[in-house]
Amino acid sequence: MKVCSIIGARPQFIKIAPLSKELRKYHQEIIIHTGQHYDQNMSKNFFEQLQIPKPDHNLGIGSGTHGQQTGLMLKKIEEVLLKEKPDEVIVFGDTNSTLAGALTSRKLNIKTAHIEAGMRSFDKRMPEEINRIVTDHCSDILFCPNENSKRNLINENIKKNIFVVGNIMSEALIENLKKAEMESKIMENLNLKKKEYLLATVHRPSNTDSLKSLKSIVTAFIESKENIIFPMHPRTKKFMAMYGLTKKINSSSVKVINPIDYFDMLILEKNAKKILTDSGGIQNEAFLLGIPCITLRENTEWVETIEQKANMLVGSDKKKIMDSVKTFNPSIKKREQTEKPSIVIARILEKFE
Ligand code: UD1
């Protein structure tokens, strides 16, 4: 069987790593990298660290508006799929690369599988929510991380070929944590001690592109006077400069650093007192590692983390952020994941050949 995996952004590099290994035991896999993320620290480092095979096609699409980026992807992915003629296409998560991959593949009548299907925040202002809905509705095989996401699909009248396989991002975490502990020097490099700092990430357009939200979040970080490590996404860096917030943060107890690789991120997450984030993947990693997570959004697709009281939604409200930094101290059980979604997914894909 010839399978084509389509990836483009950081979280997808993490998700493909365990699956690619498993698929290649029995099948031919080709990888298309759309080039949505292209910097050394947003892309290349992940390939090296996670030992992801070199993409067979790098489309070099890069940044742009949603229309430009998605449009270019549709055109270029189609060219590759016509040439490669895979039996199945796999897309991951909820980025523009996911949407473009699923749409192109389905229109060419290639069996299309979506990993992390059925996730919903029920907030259509998020580009990722549109990407999730459209991708699920044009995919043939839906791999859900949990029962909740399966229910979401059924509620949208998608009833066939839904498989709850567990969370592939957790599999990557479990597989890599030991290696990260051995190889990462981030704690020493930043002179950090366990549980004496908070870790923050912000990259959602609803937080970064609005002066009001970004200023409120950054002011909360600064005024909390906590030692906060803040690996800054390029989008956030751009808007921080545009809104004149860079100087303010640089003269505070918040330490801004460049985006970091996967191993360093796992280590910073594991040793943090708390995590502040608007990322879906990081909410989930915090949950697995048993670290309290303060989510800088009004909603989340990772409902389980809220139900288990390990995660708290505070949006971009300065007071709520500052209060939760002080008072959100849940006791969280570390979660064990025993299943290996990569093995289950590879087996199921065979049946659809
Ligand atoms: C994308 C995904 C988001 C995911 C995130 C992970 C969509 C709609 N969003 O958001 O779901 O959580 O990736 O990080 O697909 N840039 C660089 N170097 C890079 C990549 C991006 O400088 O290597 C800059 C560009 O200025 C670009 C901006 O970051 O305009 C945003 O990048 P983009 O890929 O459009 O979306 P993300 O915000 O990263």
Side-chain angles (χ1 to χ4, degrees):
M1 176 165 86
K2 183 171 177 181
V3 188
C4 173
S5 302
I6 302 178
I7 52 178
R10 266 190 316 194
Q12 293 162 335
F13 308 145
I14 301 170
K15 288 166 199 163
I16 197 179
L19 184 62
S20 188
K21 253 188 228 150
E22 189 58 32
L23 282 174
R24 282 171 194 240
K25 287 185 192 160
Y26 317 99
H27 306 290
Q28 183 192 356
E29 186 203 27
I30 57 160
I31 297 179
I32 302 180
H33 182 345
T34 61
Q36 179 170 354
H37 285 175
Y38 44 86
D39 286 345
Q40 177 79 30
N41 57 12
M42 301 282 284
S43 174
K44 291 199 188 75
N45 286 345
F46 286 76
F47 276 79
E48 285 161 15
Q49 216 159 49
L50 290 158
Q51 296 172 319
I52 304 163
K54 192 169 174 283
D56 301 84
H57 301 271
N58 193 322
L59 309 183
I61 292 188
S63 309
T65 62
H66 284 272
Q68 277 168 355
Q69 198 178 46
T70 316
L72 262 178
M73 285 178 193
L74 292 174
K75 182 170 178 290
K76 292 202 174 181
I77 293 171
E78 186 178 62
E79 286 166 11
V80 176
L81 292 182
L82 284 170
K83 196 172 122 219
E84 293 280 3
K85 298 190 175 46
D87 301 301
E88 289 174 9
V89 161
I90 308 174
V91 296
F92 303 78
D94 56 16
T95 73
N96 289 343
S97 302
T98 318
L99 170 69
L103 207 50
T104 315
S105 161
R106 195 62 218 99
K107 285 204 167 185
L108 293 173
N109 274 329
I110 304 169
K111 291 229 173 67
T112 308
H114 183 206
I115 295 183
E116 228 172 67
M119 300 299 283
R120 297 289 182 270
S121 65
F122 301 101
D123 179 358
K124 284 195 179 154
R125 292 167 305 174
M126 287 174 71
E128 292 82 3
E129 184 74 354
I130 309 297
N131 294 345
R132 290 178 197 124
I133 296 170
V134 181
T135 301
D136 283 338
H137 281 264
C138 59
S139 293
D140 304 282
I141 313 163
L142 298 123
F143 292 114
C144 295
N146 49 42
E147 290 294 333
N148 196 47
S149 44
K150 178 178 176 179
R151 262 195 305 277
N152 289 338
L153 292 177
I154 292 170
N155 287 342
E156 288 177 21
N157 222 13
I158 301 177
K159 299 207 164 121
K160 258 178 46 186
N161 301 332
I162 306 176
F163 304 93
V164 178
V165 292
N167 189 337
I168 194 122
M169 217 160 180
S170 312
E171 184 178 348
L173 182 149
I174 290 158
E175 241 181 65
N176 286 288
L177 193 57
K178 278 211 179 79
K179 267 195 232 159
E181 272 161 358
M182 275 169 357
E183 287 182 28
S184 169
K185 299 269 175 294
I186 191 92
M187 296 294 286
E188 293 91 316
N189 291 347
L190 297 177
N191 204 9
L192 295 171
K193 292 211 177 67
K194 285 183 186 176
K195 308 293 165 192
E196 288 190 1
Y197 66 92
L198 276 67
L199 174 66
T201 78
V202 181
H203 80 280
R204 294 259 158 240
S206 56
N207 283 332
T208 55
D209 303 13
S210 134
L211 168 63
K212 188 168 167 266
S213 301
L214 191 59
K215 195 171 172 191
S216 170
I217 292 172
V218 167
T219 314
F221 288 1
I222 295 172
E223 291 183 9
S224 74
K225 299 215 164 58
E226 290 274 351
N227 185 12
I228 299 180
I229 307 298
F230 187 175
M232 199 176 277
H233 187 287
R235 166 197 290 287
T236 318
K237 192 170 176 189
K238 186 171 82 189
F239 282 98
M240 288 286 289
M242 213 159 97
Y243 297 146
L245 296 166
T246 311
K247 247 199 199 143
K248 211 173 144 195
I249 204 164
N250 285 344
S251 53
S252 74
S253 62
V254 181
K255 186 167 177 58
V256 175
I257 57 174
N258 284 326
I260 49 178
D261 61 38
Y262 184 54
F263 286 180
D264 285 348
M265 194 63 188
L266 290 184
I267 295 303
L268 283 189
E269 287 173 3
K270 181 173 180 256
N271 292 322
K273 196 157 66 175
K274 290 176 195 178
I275 295 177
L276 295 137
T277 191
D278 59 6
S279 149
I282 296 175
Q283 286 173 59
N284 183 56
E285 285 168 353
F287 186 49
L288 252 126
L289 292 165
I291 312 297
C293 186
I294 299 164
T295 294
L296 308 163
R297 282 172 50 188
E298 307 288 344
N299 48 54
T300 181
E301 51 289 353
W302 296 100
V303 187
E304 198 187 353
T305 63
I306 304 287
E307 286 168 358
Q308 301 283 327
K309 300 194 169 36
N311 186 6
M312 184 178 169
L313 299 173
V314 294
S316 58
D317 186 281
K318 183 181 139 192
K319 186 172 180 309
K320 281 193 196 163
I321 299 172
M322 290 182 68
D323 286 350
S324 59
V325 163
K326 268 207 209 114
T327 59
F328 185 54
N329 294 310
S331 59
I332 312 163
K333 275 195 282 164
K334 257 204 203 161
R335 296 235 322 161
E336 294 297 333
Q337 173 164 323
T338 43
E339 73 269 36
K340 285 205 171 219
S342 65
I343 298 179
V344 186
I345 292 170
R347 298 254 161 80
I348 294 172
L349 285 175
E350 266 165 41
K351 293 196 194 136
F352 282 88
E353 193 188 343

